[in-house]
């Protein structure tokens, strides 16, 4: 085996996949070791002294997610990134692997992209990486958590590539901040970073394409008299950040997927194709893997958006960062709160920090910042610059009461609208009926356009009590 070729190790119980990957990697100057028996693979990883670039690990073995069981042992044996392989298994299994330490994953129907993805590991392997904490500080991210340090290493690897990145994490974990850091660390840093607030744009089925792709005069009643540009135009040569991508309807998902895959789009009202060279970074606070498995989010769009993915842990999983963040907010916020900030700096003594660390922070870093802001206001009103435990507890109580009131309002509104499930089903029904109408009731063609299996679409049709025959008869009558 040549000494200077990067070694890829693959563990998969299907010999055909091992053979296919081996042939593919030989064309790209990689060495390869494949194991159909997981125990043999683990034995090699334990005994071999060879430098391994990446370990490829299948999710499913004999119909069971044994790859997830193997993952901790592999991570313990070797300090090498693990890329999970998937054959359209449940997306929640893949997401679980990422959260438990796997670096990334690749669907087996996209193995042609494997060399491009491996190139980012090879490039990182040859470089002297910047110290992670200093690297994060250069982008305004303050941490001492090992979990966040691991994210820094991943950003250093994926930022220089063209690969799309999906950021996963609860509300307030800093996904927008990290998306900007990826852009600023990329070759596109001097080009636009365009933020799309997906929930706002997706609220109107008509607004969505015009905001994304622009319009031409006369495109619709009330359209602008001059051509307009959309987000795709604005992000040319830069980064398009799709924030809260999980809020798109199935129809909007289809529009977005087609435009991203074909790398061309049409202004509303135009038949002239246009192109824009941008990198996609998307984010969601939803359990998007579950949405994929339940048919509410297109699997092909999901996989297109997450050629790489980064999971941002909630603040309760790295409480060691709370003192750093609280004290930084205490230093920065006075300039936002007051035109003439107090001369004396605010102080967070250790007992007050301990109160902060005992809270579970459902709103994460965003909630922490709001609580620190309340602390400063309460302290200033009381004529002190020292944030006492009593002040912290009062600020948390006020924040919790406000959140409860907001949650109650949302719940009441949801009940009035008929519930989340009913709204989702209405959106789903509309998308399915539109596609069936387009394809004259042909379920196979409709399933292809929706990115579903034929069996899944049949289940949805039965669940929503849709009759495909009505669309055949409508078109026959036309």
């Amino acid at each position: 085996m040549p000494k200077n070729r990067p070694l890829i190790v693959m563990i998969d119980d299907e010999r055909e996949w091992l053979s296919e990957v081996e042939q593919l990697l030989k064309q790209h100057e990689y060495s390869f070791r494949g194991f159909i028996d997981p125990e043999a693979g683990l034995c090699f990883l334990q005994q071999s002294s060879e430098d391994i670039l990446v370990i490829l690990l299948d999710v499913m073995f004999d119909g069971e997610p044994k790859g997830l069981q193997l993952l901790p042992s592999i991570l313990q044996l070797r300090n090498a990134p693990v890329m999970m392989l998937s054959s359209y298994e449940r997306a929640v299994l893949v997401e679980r692997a990422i959260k438990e330490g796997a670096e990334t994953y690749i669907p087996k129907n996209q193995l042609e992209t494997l060399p491009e993805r491996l190139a980012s590991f090879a490039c990182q392997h040859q470089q002297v990486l910047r110290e992670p904490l200093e690297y994060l500080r250069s982008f305004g991210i303050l941490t001492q958590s090992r979990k966040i340090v691991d994210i820094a290493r991943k950003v250093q690897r994926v930022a220089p590539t063209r690969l799309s990145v999906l950021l996963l994490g609860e509300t307030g974990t800093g996904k927008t901040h990290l998306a900007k850091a990826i852009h600023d660390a990329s070759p596109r840093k001097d080009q636009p970073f365009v933020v799309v607030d997906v929930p706002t744009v997706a609220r109107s089925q008509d607004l969505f394409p015009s905001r994304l792709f622009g319009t031409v005069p006369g495109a619709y009643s009330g359209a602008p008299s001059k051509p307009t540009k959309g987000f795709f135009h604005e992000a040319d040569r830069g980064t398009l950040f799709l924030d809260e991508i999980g809020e798109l309807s199935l129809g909007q998902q289809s529009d977005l997927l087609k435009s991203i895959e074909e790398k061309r789009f049409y202004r509303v009202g135009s038949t002239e194709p246009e192109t824009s060279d941008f990198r996609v970074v998307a984010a969601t606070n939803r359990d998007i893997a579950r949405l994929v498995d339940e048919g509410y989010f297109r699997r092909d769009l999901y996989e297109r958006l997450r050629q790489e993915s980064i999971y941002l842990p909630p603040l309760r999983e790295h409480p060691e960062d709370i003192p750093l963040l609280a004290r930084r907010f205490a230093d920065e916020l006075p300039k936002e709160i007051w035109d003439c900030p107090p001369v004396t700096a605010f102080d967070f003594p250790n007992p007050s920090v301990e109160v902060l660390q005992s809270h579970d922070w459902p709103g994460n870093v965003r909630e922490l910042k709001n609580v620190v802001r309340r602390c400063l206001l309460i302290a200033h009103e009381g004529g002190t610059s020292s944030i006492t435990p009593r002040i912290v507890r009062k600020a948390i109580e006020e924040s919790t009461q406000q959140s409860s009131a907001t949650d109650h309002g949302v719940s009441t509104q949801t009940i009035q609208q008929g519930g989340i499930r009913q709204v989702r089903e209405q959106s789903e029904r509309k998308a399915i009926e539109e596609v069936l109408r387009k394809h004259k009731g042909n379920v196979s063609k409709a399933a292809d356009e929706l990115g579903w299996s034929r069996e899944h679409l049949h289940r949805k049709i039965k669940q929503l009590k849709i009759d495909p025959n009505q669309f055949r008869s409508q078109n026959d009558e036309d």
Side-chain angles (χ1 to χ4, degrees):
M1 181 181 297
K3 297 288 185 182
N4 58 345
R5 295 171 65 183
L7 174 61
I8 310 298
V9 174
M10 180 174 174
I11 304 175
D12 192 306
D13 63 345
E14 295 186 62
R15 199 174 301 277
E16 296 80 4
W17 289 117
L18 290 171
S19 177
E20 183 173 338
V21 171
E22 181 176 18
Q23 293 304 312
L24 175 65
L25 296 184
K26 280 183 177 179
Q27 301 172 29
H28 294 271
E29 303 299 318
Y30 290 103
S31 296
F32 180 82
R33 291 294 300 267
F35 298 91
I36 198 167
D37 176 20
E39 293 303 321
L42 288 174
C43 185
F44 173 80
L45 294 175
Q46 185 175 25
Q47 298 178 0
S48 173
S49 60
E50 294 184 65
D51 189 17
I52 300 172
L53 181 65
V54 174
I55 299 167
L56 304 176
L57 176 64
D58 195 15
V59 174
M60 304 294 284
F61 288 78
D62 298 323
E64 297 292 330
K66 295 180 181 177
L68 295 179
Q69 300 168 18
L70 292 171
L71 180 61
S73 299
I74 291 174
L75 293 173
Q76 191 172 15
L77 285 172
R78 299 301 292 255
N79 184 27
V82 177
M83 179 184 292
M84 305 302 295
L85 300 172
S86 161
S87 289
Y88 281 111
E89 288 96 15
R90 286 183 295 156
V92 290
L93 297 179
V94 178
E95 297 289 1
R96 179 179 151 196
I98 299 298
K99 291 179 181 180
E100 293 182 4
E103 181 77 7
T104 185
Y105 100 108
I106 181 171
K108 288 183 176 178
N109 67 340
Q110 295 181 15
L111 282 177
E112 71 279 1
T113 68
L114 181 58
E116 179 185 7
R117 300 188 187 196
L118 291 176
S120 67
F121 291 97
C123 183
Q124 185 181 48
H125 199 63
Q126 296 165 2
Q127 293 177 343
V128 177
L129 299 182
R130 292 173 62 184
E131 195 280 322
L133 294 180
E134 184 271 330
Y135 179 78
L136 288 173
R137 279 195 296 270
S138 69
F139 297 111
I141 299 174
L142 195 62
T143 184
Q144 56 187 8
S145 164
R146 297 307 308 171
K147 289 186 176 183
I148 310 300
V149 165
D150 289 341
I151 289 174
R153 294 195 178 95
K154 194 162 187 177
V155 170
Q156 290 188 70
R157 179 177 66 78
V158 305
T161 72
R162 296 177 56 88
L163 299 173
S164 58
V165 183
L166 180 61
L167 306 180
L168 307 166
E170 296 178 5
T171 297
T173 50
K175 297 185 292 295
T176 300
H177 206 80
L178 190 65
K180 185 63 166 61
I182 291 171
H183 171 76
D184 289 344
S186 76
R188 300 170 181 261
K189 62 183 179 181
D190 296 324
Q191 303 302 326
F193 176 74
V194 178
V195 179
V196 180
D197 180 29
V198 170
T200 300
V201 177
R203 210 167 281 148
S204 167
Q205 191 72 31
D206 297 329
L207 177 65
F208 178 75
S210 62
R211 292 293 302 276
L212 248 61
F213 312 132
T215 63
V216 297
Y220 52 85
S221 177
S225 58
K226 295 181 180 180
T228 64
K229 291 183 177 181
F231 292 122
F232 275 37
H233 296 96
E234 296 172 10
D236 189 25
R237 297 184 297 164
T239 300
L240 184 70
F241 176 49
L242 303 171
D243 194 19
E244 300 308 343
I245 193 70
E247 304 304 317
L248 289 177
S249 69
L250 286 169
Q252 292 166 338
Q253 292 169 31
S254 298
D255 291 341
L256 182 63
L257 173 66
K258 185 175 181 181
S259 300
I260 292 177
E261 281 192 329
E262 296 181 357
K263 298 186 183 301
R264 66 176 184 172
F265 59 97
Y266 298 84
R267 295 192 202 215
V268 177
S270 173
T271 58
E272 293 296 323
E274 299 185 47
T275 60
S276 180
D277 173 27
F278 55 80
R279 193 233 191 116
V280 176
V281 178
T284 181
N285 63 5
R286 304 279 298 274
D287 186 352
I288 196 166
R290 191 168 300 281
L291 294 180
V292 171
D293 289 338
E294 293 177 356
Y296 296 115
F297 198 90
R298 291 183 62 116
R299 186 178 294 270
D300 43 9
L301 177 58
Y302 167 74
E303 292 178 344
R304 179 63 182 79
L305 292 173
R306 60 157 298 166
Q307 292 177 331
E308 294 285 354
S309 64
I310 299 177
Y311 169 65
L312 281 75
L315 187 56
R316 61 184 172 275
E317 292 184 9
H318 54 109
E320 64 271 29
D321 282 340
I322 290 175
L324 291 173
L325 294 168
R327 287 171 175 143
R328 182 176 74 174
F329 294 148
D331 288 339
E332 295 176 349
L333 283 172
K335 297 176 184 177
E336 296 181 16
I337 297 173
W338 294 284
D339 291 332
C340 296
V343 176
T344 305
F346 289 93
D347 174 49
F348 260 104
N350 288 335
S352 300
V353 168
E354 290 172 3
V355 176
L356 289 173
Q357 288 181 302
S358 67
H359 186 57
D360 62 359
W361 300 109
N364 295 292
V365 178
R366 187 178 300 159
E367 181 188 1
L368 174 62
K369 187 173 183 178
N370 288 334
V371 166
V372 172
R373 182 183 287 107
R374 290 173 185 271
C375 286
L376 302 190
L377 290 168
I378 295 169
H380 184 66
E381 184 179 344
T384 180
S385 60
S386 180
I387 310 299
T388 64
R390 181 191 65 81
I391 291 175
V392 173
R393 283 190 284 269
K394 184 177 181 182
I396 291 175
E397 181 182 357
E398 290 179 359
S399 176
T400 302
Q401 288 174 349
Q402 182 177 355
S403 297
S404 298
T406 303
D407 291 343
H408 176 72
V410 171
S411 300
T412 302
Q413 183 183 29
T414 299
I415 292 170
Q416 290 173 345
Q417 291 174 345
I420 293 174
R421 180 173 295 277
Q422 182 178 345
V423 172
R424 185 179 285 173
E425 286 183 354
Q426 289 172 352
S427 174
E428 216 173 36
R429 174 188 295 278
K430 182 178 179 182
I432 292 172
E433 289 179 344
E434 285 179 358
V435 176
L436 283 171
R437 185 176 293 107
K438 176 180 176 181
H439 294 290
K440 301 182 180 180
N442 188 309
V443 175
S444 296
K445 291 181 179 179
D448 287 342
E449 179 159 336
L450 288 167
W452 295 347
S453 68
R454 194 170 184 274
E455 293 74 18
H456 183 76
L457 180 54
H458 270 301
R459 284 196 299 272
K460 286 293 180 183
I461 287 172
K462 184 176 180 181
Q463 175 187 335
L464 298 171
K465 298 179 180 179
I466 298 172
D467 180 12
N469 291 319
Q470 67 176 306
F471 302 104
R472 297 190 184 103
S473 60
Q474 284 178 8
N475 283 276
D476 290 343
E477 292 170 4
D478 293 344

